[in-house]
Amino acid sequence: MSNRHVQKMLRQMASGEPVQVTSAMASMKKLARLAFIAQQFGYEYADVRQGGPQGNGFVMLIVPDPSPQARARAEQNRAQYPNASGGGALPSLVPDEVELLKARIAFDLAARYTEKQLTVIMGAGFSTLAVCLGLQLGADTTAVVVAGIAWAALMAFVPVGLVVNRRYRAKHVARLQAAGFTPVTEQSGRLRYLPRGGQLPGHGNPFAGGA
């Protein structure tokens, strides 16, 4: 988590509007730390998706938190850290809270697609790889056979990938449920985990209301 990203985020938050935090190289841990800092100044984590300038990073959405607790916390931290957006001191990270945010971010990314959608995505990707291999080898019968074998071998990894995704999601679900988070289903059918009493921003597509 660089000071540059923190300062940019805090300056954008001064607008009081939803903010998209974009970084091509950000890890989920770094995003969780940024989300924690945002929470100290009146915002809350809303959603995350893959993207970024080159499409190889993450885009995290944070939105204003209207709760009285969030407003009081933000007022106190703005008084205690008046130069936070200018590179000054920041509130100390709370490891347990950062880990919960990391679990939410990881689950949201893993749950963005249903298993049917993941199967289609992986199948299309593996088919493209097999076709590219066949084109590299040539247009004779041997190339077609090799490409077909490669495609079959790659497709065998689809169920493996689905099992890995299920286990990955289950690990984060267990952590969130232990912390009191509750499951909420978006209009699109996507499952989310929110703090008790929390609400989904937007109408099934949180990013539709982003900056």
Side-chain angles (χ1 to χ4, degrees), residues 99-179:
E99 285 302 311
L100 279 175
L101 282 164
K102 181 181 174 183
R104 289 184 68 187
I105 291 169
F107 178 82
D108 283 346
L109 285 169
R112 182 158 289 278
Y113 299 106
T114 65
E115 289 198 349
K116 183 177 180 180
Q117 290 172 322
L118 284 174
T119 300
V120 172
I121 291 170
M122 287 190 286
F126 290 154
S127 297
T128 300
L129 286 175
V131 170
C132 290
L133 176 61
L135 292 174
Q136 288 290 328
L137 294 175
D140 56 13
T141 303
T142 301
V144 173
V145 171
V146 171
I149 293 173
W151 176 82
L154 289 170
M155 290 301 292
F157 283 99
V158 171
V160 176
L162 294 178
V163 170
V164 170
N165 184 264
R166 283 190 213 116
R167 292 177 178 175
Y168 182 77
R169 290 173 56 176
K171 179 181 73 172
H172 295 297
V173 166
R175 185 180 188 95
L176 292 170
Q177 287 180 334

Side-chain angles (χ1 to χ4, degrees), residues 18 20 47 49 61 63 112 201-211:
Q20 290 188 21
D47 203 357
R49 61 178 170 82
L61 177 67
V63 297
R112 182 158 289 278
H203 301 281
N205 180 14
F207 279 93

Side-chain angles (χ1 to χ4, degrees), residues 16-64:
E17 298 293 328
V19 171
Q20 290 188 21
V21 181
T22 304
S23 178
M25 302 302 292
S27 65
M28 283 182 280
K29 185 175 182 179
K30 291 178 180 177
L31 287 178
R33 290 176 175 177
L34 285 169
F36 175 84
I37 295 298
Q39 286 184 346
Q40 308 315 302
F41 293 94
Y43 271 64
E44 62 177 337
Y45 164 77
D47 203 357
V48 67
R49 61 178 170 82
Q50 290 182 304
Q54 285 79 43
N56 59 347
F58 300 115
V59 180
M60 178 175 69
L61 177 67
I62 55 174
V63 297

